[in-house]
Amino acid sequence: MNILKIIALILCIIGSVNWGLIGLLNFNLVDTLFGVGSLISIIIYILVGVSGFISILTLIDLIEKK
């Protein structure tokens, strides 16, 4: 697994934990740590979204190899 896929997986995990906290406790960890609407929060959300697309491509690649 190359480094880009590993980073994408880590960011997907961070994003899913954050969404789990939002759903269960109405607590947004990213906004709490970096501020609501801050540049860092926006960058994190963008990176998590991009990592989702990378993960989709990784999944498609795995399915095609079977």
Side-chain angles (χ1 to χ4, degrees):
M1 186 177 279
N2 67 28
I3 191 73
L4 180 64
K5 291 178 183 178
I6 293 170
I7 292 170
L9 179 60
I10 291 169
L11 287 171
C12 282
I13 292 168
I14 290 169
S16 64
V17 168
N18 193 53
W19 274 110
L21 289 171
I22 292 170
L24 289 172
L25 306 173
N26 198 24
F27 177 73
N28 189 329
L29 183 61
V30 173
D31 283 349
T32 300
L33 291 176
F34 303 108
V36 177
S38 71
L39 181 61
I40 296 174
S41 291
I42 292 169
I43 291 170
I44 290 171
Y45 292 133
I46 290 170
L47 291 174
V48 168
V50 170
S51 69
F53 286 113
I54 292 170
S55 296
I56 290 169
L57 296 174
T58 302
L59 178 62
I60 291 169
D61 187 44
L62 287 172
I63 291 171
E64 288 178 351
K65 287 183 179 179
K66 279 192 170 187

